[in-house]
Amino acid sequence: MQDASQIRHSGLGDLAVFPDDLICRVLECLDLGSILALAATSKFLRVFCLEEPLWQTYALDLSEGSLAWRGNWQKTALALIDEKPGGVDIPERVLQNGVGEVFPVLDFSSLELYKRWYRCNMDVERFDPPSCSIERVDGRSILPEMFFECFDRLGKPALIDDLQTDWGAMRWTLNGLEEKFGELRFSINCPGKTSVKMELKNFLRYMEVQHDENPLYLFDGEFGESCPEMLQDYRVPSIFPEDFFNKLATSRPPYRWVLIGPPRSGSIWHIDPTATSAWNSLISGRKRWALYPPGTVPPGVEFTSLPHPACQDMDFQSPSALFWFLEIYPNLDPTERPIEFLQQPGETVFIPSGWWHCVLNLETSVAITQNFVSRANLKEVVGCLARGAFRYHLRLYGEDEVGEEEKEQLMNEGGAAAEGLSVVGCRWLGQWMTRLWREETHADVKDILWESGCEYFNAQMWLSILMSACLDLDLGKPKKYEALPLTATSNWVFRVGDSIIKVYVNEVEMKGMLQSVVEELLLQSMTNSTVVEKGWVPKLKGTHNADLRLPHSKLKSPMLSTSLCEGKSLSDCFQRLSALHLIQVATETGKILAHIHTIPMQSSTEFMPFSKETDTVLFRDSAPMSDWLKSQIHDGTFWQAQDPTIAWSSAEGEIRILMRDGAPCTATIKHQNEVRRGFGPWYPFVSFLRWRRATVVEHHKKSGSMPNHLMHELDAYLPEDPSLLVEASPRFDPCWLHGDMTHDNILTTLDDKPHKNGVIPAEPPQENGAFNPPVTVIDFGDAGHGDALYDFVAVAISSLKCKEDLMAPFLDSYLRNRGVLGGEPMVFSNRSISLSKIAMCYTLLHEDSAVRRVFELRPELRKSQTLDEVQVKFWGFLDKCVTNNHPC
């Protein structure tokens, strides 16, 4: 008779040496076809392969943002893979009936599988905390200012009753919500995954029958827009009167959520985003809470990596709420245990800024929660937005929580940060602080803002620099709050009166110098032109060199002053514009871009003969470097890569900048024979395309920017030599390109008052019956010479959100205006390669992950069988609209 180990080995083979938890993890890494094959191999493997948690993982991986529950996770996953192009060939009987049941296995036991099963089926209704260690507050008697002084200012959590007695939401029932909103799709949080969309009625069916350790949890931050009548059923409790994010109107980040979840669902350990505080009001059900104060990492939580400064969420790993309470909590010393309490219907929890919290739903629960900013956490919020969540919270947890690679990155940023020049993660932070300064009347607010500005932006230094620049440029004396930057990324932008001052402080100075020279020359070219007179682009007012006295550089930072352009960027207002407004914005953008593309180039068609292969230019200070760069654009066509150390000039060749201590010291020019072989003015743009072609396939593979079945044909789809895309033909020359026509650089004016449905209504028609909202294009620092179609990629994907009903009027307007301006429409119609093919290739070669955004904005394209099919579906309108040099 075989013992247990022999039986295990006979059923699992070589896998028997691994513990069961590792086998479960390995199976999660396999594709569904392999799982189906393993399930038919042995009874032992069948037990592992038919576990519902495994199929839940597969279903969520396959969902791609949308989920329809089919009764269990196995059926749900099989249905999803059957709909996926190029998927596993599943037999019809399996699709209809599932894989089958688990067969009995004698003398087989697994503590790991039993614990998983137990957590999936545990009744948590009586899983109450052993005690209540939070301070309770009578919401009927406490005044707002008293609550602020006793709890908010002190960062002290509280459990408050009787704040929602007059809410209509207290009468909500699941049946009632389904009757009103059952057909609508809500955001659902998935364990370890990004959220998916589900119909409410489908989610409620899931809740009725699920047996998951970490169930799906309805956590929707857009219910106010999709279900505005829900907003009428509750109001912000009176003890939370301050919320400075309200100054952002409808541009504010997500801040309110409706929560619906079954027993065992909840929230893992986390800190609320951007250092905000929060209140959570329970409508029905019961919730078990645990809290740790700022600076104390909950046991079982691990920091993972250092995110980009723009990321406003902490990057860490935490077990599910149920796992934590079952497996980690019992082993804690009493002194290590968190603040604990049970929340009942009608009670509101106050969570101060920076507090860790974990929540487990003991019953089916419905709640409303909102995050807010008050005087108590205003400085913390500014710090978090300026530095990113990781760097902000690092001061609370110290370097012990940071890996060696992250430490090195933080040290490298230290010098710039000390000078107030490090990247600010949030692009609207300065605008929000400026609006607060102007509009908030409380005496403490201006003091907090200036103290924050000095700490995180070095505002006092910038005020001195702006005073010197404004005196030189005759712009008037800047006000104190104008030293708070409107944006502070690679370049810093300030508003002084009716002027914009842009300081090029790129972390690699060569890039900043390039951008300043290009922008100055292009704006000079447009001076007194139609685009400036009509306000379509800013007017150049002057230039100035700022001595920032950086320890790593001897070069001064260029500054450029332009006229102020009113309006909001499309990135801030796109979702709030009416359909009419968006069509007109697309039309005006086409008109403006046509004017930019027909600006006379300063370059000559004669090119310098090269007497040697390589030249070296030595820079000793910023003046000769700036003059040399200007000559590259004056004397020939030009293109710059996002890599700040490489550019191309038809007057010279390939330019590579040698850096020393962060500053450019020499430029090595590698002369290229292609200029003499017929590429002529196309040389810089073609060289850039070739540079991208050499690495783009590997880049897309690493980033996972497209479905695998399309990735496999990427190399064959792109031309081996991308010069074929422009044909380097004498029939037409390259033109000036904006280079960065994204939603951040297109402005339009609108009514910024919040509306019930979150949409800004179209302005009334003008006297002539036409509706022409002002549109302005800004930021020409990435300009260069190339194919006009390349600019279309950013316009179509970033600015017009891949919407064909906007892309078509944009193209129509562009072509009509190119004709009026005396342009050459043959650049679009007289080519040997279709426009859609060229545009698709530019999308794949683009530096800004353009193709990833295509599949995010048009998820149905992921089901395309080939890249040719994606090309036709996405860019086919170019071929339809351009026939015999005329738009259809």
Side-chain angles (χ1 to χ4, degrees):
M1 182 176 179
Q2 292 181 317
D3 59 24
S5 63
Q6 291 174 320
I7 294 173
R8 177 181 173 83
H9 188 272
S10 65
L12 294 176
D14 291 342
L15 291 176
V17 300
F18 298 117
D20 290 350
D21 63 332
L22 183 56
I23 293 176
C24 292
R25 292 189 181 186
V26 169
L27 293 179
E28 290 178 0
C29 299
L30 302 180
D31 60 73
L32 191 54
S34 300
I35 290 296
L36 293 174
L38 284 173
T41 302
S42 74
K43 293 180 180 179
F44 276 73
L45 281 172
R46 192 173 185 83
V47 171
F48 286 92
C49 291
L50 297 190
E51 257 207 317
E52 273 288 274
L54 176 63
W55 287 86
Q56 181 188 28
T57 299
Y58 277 116
L60 296 178
D61 284 342
L62 293 166
S63 62
E64 296 183 351
S66 180
L67 184 67
W69 170 253
R70 305 300 178 99
N72 62 41
W73 286 116
Q74 187 184 122
K75 291 181 180 178
T76 303
L78 290 172
L80 285 167
I81 202 146
D82 186 45
E83 299 168 358
K84 197 175 181 67
V88 179
D89 185 16
I90 308 294
E92 187 64 28
R93 59 179 178 79
V94 174
L95 292 175
Q96 295 297 324
N97 305 314
V99 181
E101 299 180 357
V102 175
F103 303 131
V105 182
L106 296 177
D107 298 319
F108 172 73
S109 64
S110 170
L111 181 60
E112 174 67 21
L113 295 185
Y114 170 74
K115 284 185 174 181
R116 283 161 65 108
W117 174 88
Y118 178 81
R119 292 194 295 268
C120 289
N121 292 274
M122 179 183 177
D123 183 358
V124 295
E125 186 175 358
R126 294 181 175 82
F127 197 44
D128 295 359
S131 62
C132 177
S133 51
I134 192 172
E135 185 167 346
R136 299 187 67 96
V137 177
D138 183 358
R140 293 168 296 183
S141 59
I142 193 165
L143 297 175
E145 194 57 34
M146 182 184 298
F147 184 86
F148 177 83
E149 294 296 336
C150 296
F151 293 94
D152 196 2
R153 187 187 291 277
L154 299 179
K156 184 177 179 181
L159 182 62
I160 314 143
D161 57 18
D162 294 324
L163 289 181
Q164 56 211 69
T165 53
D166 59 345
W167 285 14
M170 294 304 294
R171 296 186 293 275
W172 286 355
T173 65
L174 295 183
N175 289 337
L177 292 173
E178 181 177 4
E179 183 176 341
K180 285 186 177 180
F181 311 115
E183 303 292 331
L184 297 180
R185 298 169 68 80
F186 288 79
S187 292
I188 311 296
N189 272 11
C190 305
K193 311 291 180 183
T194 55
S195 62
V196 297
K197 290 284 189 178
M198 289 181 70
E199 289 185 352
L200 178 60
K201 62 180 181 181
N202 187 238
F203 175 72
L204 295 179
R205 298 293 81 75
Y206 159 81
M207 286 209 311
E208 292 172 354
V209 301
Q210 63 82 28
H211 285 284
D212 295 330
E213 173 187 347
N214 196 1
L216 304 184
Y217 193 14
L218 191 152
F219 208 101
D220 193 287
E222 299 178 347
F223 75 98
E225 290 71 37
S226 57
C227 311
E229 59 189 285
M230 277 189 171
L231 299 179
Q232 308 305 313
D233 284 344
Y234 82 95
R235 60 181 178 84
V236 177
S238 60
I239 63 172
F240 306 115
E242 292 181 344
D243 186 3
F244 297 141
F245 269 168
N246 278 338
K247 300 297 182 183
L248 292 170
T250 47
S251 298
R252 69 179 297 169
Y255 70 104
R256 62 188 176 202
W257 293 267
V258 59
L259 318 176
I260 303 176
R264 296 186 303 280
S265 65
S267 299
I268 63 172
W269 282 107
H270 67 286
I271 300 172
D272 283 337
T274 61
T276 52
S277 299
W279 55 264
N280 182 302
S281 294
L282 187 59
I283 293 168
S284 60
R286 294 187 308 135
K287 292 176 177 285
R288 180 174 178 175
W289 287 74
L291 285 75
Y292 280 105
T296 301
V297 181
V301 173
E302 295 181 359
F303 290 90
T304 53
S305 64
L306 183 68
H308 186 273
C311 178
Q312 295 303 331
D313 290 326
M314 295 291 287
D315 195 8
F316 59 88
Q317 290 182 339
S318 171
S320 69
L322 180 59
F323 184 97
W324 193 88
F325 280 115
L326 283 174
E327 303 290 341
I328 297 178
Y329 176 85
N331 298 315
L332 297 179
D333 185 87
T335 59
E336 298 176 320
R337 291 189 173 180
I339 292 176
E340 300 178 79
F341 58 94
L342 182 69
Q343 184 186 18
Q344 304 274 12
E347 295 179 338
T348 297
V349 179
F350 166 62
I351 308 103
S353 170
W355 277 73
W356 291 89
H357 47 289
C358 173
V359 187
L360 178 67
N361 290 321
L362 305 185
E363 300 173 357
T364 297
S365 300
V366 180
I368 296 287
T369 185
Q370 285 196 187
N371 291 28
F372 65 93
V373 184
S374 68
R375 283 169 288 149
N377 64 327
L378 176 57
K379 186 177 179 181
E380 310 300 308
V381 170
V382 172
C384 193
L385 291 171
R387 293 292 174 259
F390 192 98
R391 292 171 181 81
Y392 168 74
H393 288 291
L394 181 64
R395 67 184 181 85
L396 295 177
Y397 304 106
E399 293 187 354
D400 290 343
E401 300 292 344
V402 185
E404 290 301 321
E405 183 178 345
E406 288 79 12
K407 286 181 184 178
E408 183 178 354
Q409 182 175 342
L410 289 168
M411 289 178 63
N412 290 338
E413 294 174 353
E419 296 297 326
L421 299 178
S422 59
V423 170
V424 173
C426 178
R427 56 183 174 75
W428 45 259
L429 175 56
Q431 300 174 56
W432 172 59
M433 293 175 69
T434 299
R435 181 174 292 185
L436 263 182
W437 186 293
R438 287 174 160 179
E439 299 179 5
E440 187 56 46
T441 58
H442 200 287
D444 292 347
V445 173
K446 286 185 174 63
D447 292 337
I448 297 172
L449 289 173
W450 185 248
E451 181 182 350
S452 302
C454 290
E455 180 172 345
Y456 296 113
F457 305 135
N458 208 335
Q460 189 65 57
M461 177 196 79
W462 283 114
L463 184 59
S464 175
I465 290 172
L466 289 175
M467 284 184 175
S468 174
C470 290
L471 181 64
D472 183 36
L473 298 170
D474 195 24
L475 298 180
K477 184 178 179 180
K479 297 180 174 63
K480 191 175 183 180
Y481 67 84
E482 291 175 332
L484 301 174
L486 298 181
T487 61
T489 51
S490 57
N491 300 315
W492 287 50
V493 179
F494 300 87
R495 174 179 176 176
V496 178
D498 61 353
S499 300
I500 291 293
I501 295 180
K502 188 174 183 178
V503 188
Y504 299 86
V505 292
N506 195 285
E507 59 184 20
V508 179
E509 286 177 305
M510 175 61 185
K511 185 66 172 179
M513 190 69 71
L514 280 171
Q515 291 180 329
S516 69
V517 167
V518 170
E519 189 154 13
E520 179 186 351
L521 288 175
L522 191 50
L523 289 177
Q524 282 179 344
S525 300
M526 293 186 284
T527 300
N528 300 323
S529 67
T530 301
V531 287
V532 172
E533 292 174 359
K534 291 185 175 292
W536 293 340
V537 301
K539 180 180 180 180
L540 180 64
K541 288 190 172 183
T543 61
H544 176 81
N545 286 324
D547 188 359
L548 301 183
R549 302 186 183 279
L550 299 181
H552 66 275
S553 174
K554 297 180 180 179
L555 304 183
K556 293 184 178 181
S557 295
M559 301 175 70
L560 185 143
S561 174
T562 65
S563 58
L564 173 68
C565 298
E566 298 290 350
K568 285 187 172 294
S569 66
L570 288 183
S571 58
D572 288 333
C573 66
F574 188 94
Q575 299 298 334
R576 297 177 286 137
L577 299 179
S578 67
L580 173 61
H581 197 141
L582 285 172
I583 290 173
Q584 292 298 327
V585 167
T587 302
E588 291 294 296
T589 301
K591 180 192 303 182
I592 296 170
L593 194 60
H595 278 76
I596 294 172
H597 286 177
T598 52
I599 294 171
M601 292 196 300
Q602 307 218 19
S603 59
S604 168
T605 56
E606 296 181 4
F607 301 95
M608 297 171 57
F610 300 134
S611 59
K612 51 185 177 178
E613 289 297 317
T614 302
D615 283 334
T616 299
V617 179
L618 175 66
F619 302 116
R620 297 188 182 277
D621 57 51
S622 56
M625 178 183 178
S626 178
D627 293 340
W628 178 79
L629 288 172
K630 288 179 182 178
S631 72
Q632 305 311 301
I633 307 173
H634 272 296
D635 299 336
T637 51
F638 180 80
W639 191 265
Q640 54 183 316
Q642 284 188 358
D643 181 336
T645 65
I646 183 170
W648 299 270
S649 166
S650 63
E652 292 282 6
E654 181 181 296
I655 305 168
R656 288 190 178 270
I657 307 301
L658 176 64
M659 312 300 293
R660 182 176 297 159
D661 299 325
C665 58
T666 61
T668 300
I669 300 107
K670 182 180 179 183
H671 301 312
Q672 300 291 342
N673 292 328
E674 283 89 338
V675 176
R676 287 176 289 181
R677 288 209 303 260
F679 281 95
W682 283 105
Y683 163 74
F685 188 67
V686 167
S687 297
F688 163 73
L689 295 179
R690 286 176 167 179
W691 177 72
R692 285 294 293 163
R693 178 65 176 89
T695 58
V696 74
V697 175
E698 189 62 28
H699 166 77
H700 286 310
K701 285 180 180 178
K702 287 183 178 179
S703 63
S705 52
M706 67 182 75
N708 287 334
H709 68 283
L710 298 177
M711 189 78 70
H712 293 323
E713 62 172 272
L714 176 59
D715 196 40
Y717 178 86
L718 289 170
E720 185 175 351
D721 184 355
S723 67
L724 296 174
L725 299 175
V726 298
E727 304 174 74
S729 172
R731 288 178 299 175
F732 59 93
D733 286 331
C735 62
W736 269 113
L737 303 187
H738 179 280
D740 192 24
M741 287 286 291
T742 61
H743 58 184
D744 290 327
N745 295 328
I746 298 177
L747 312 181
T748 184
T749 56
L750 73 162
D751 173 14
D752 194 33
K753 297 176 182 178
H755 296 264
K756 290 183 179 180
N757 61 357
V759 176
I760 302 298
E763 285 82 346
Q766 298 177 358
E767 292 182 4
N768 60 3
F771 170 54
N772 295 307
V775 174
T776 306
V777 175
I778 61 172
D779 193 356
F780 292 84
D782 293 304
H785 303 98
D787 186 351
L789 273 177
Y790 191 81
D791 261 349
F792 283 22
V793 174
V795 174
I797 298 172
S798 175
S799 299
L800 303 183
K801 307 299 184 190
C802 301
K803 296 180 180 294
E804 189 169 338
D805 58 344
L806 299 179
M807 291 151 69
F810 159 78
L811 178 62
D812 182 83
S813 174
Y814 177 89
L815 290 175
R816 282 189 287 104
N817 282 277
R818 278 297 293 259
V820 170
L821 295 168
E824 299 179 9
M826 68 160 51
V827 302
F828 294 106
S829 60
N830 194 20
R831 297 199 187 190
S832 58
I833 303 175
S834 70
L835 297 184
S836 61
K837 173 75 175 188
I838 297 171
M840 187 66 198
C841 288
Y842 287 160
T843 303
L844 295 166
L845 294 170
H846 207 278
E847 289 183 281
D848 290 327
S849 301
V851 72
R852 176 188 292 276
R853 287 295 290 155
V854 169
F855 288 113
E856 289 174 351
L857 294 167
R858 294 276 297 274
E860 76 279 4
L861 293 177
R862 301 181 69 88
K863 297 181 180 180
S864 302
Q865 298 287 345
T866 64
L867 284 171
D868 286 314
E869 186 178 340
V870 177
Q871 167 195 321
V872 172
K873 289 180 177 178
F874 185 68
W875 287 111
F877 75 96
L878 289 173
D879 302 326
K880 296 176 184 177
C881 290
V882 183
T883 304
N884 297 325
N885 300 335
H886 298 286
C888 296

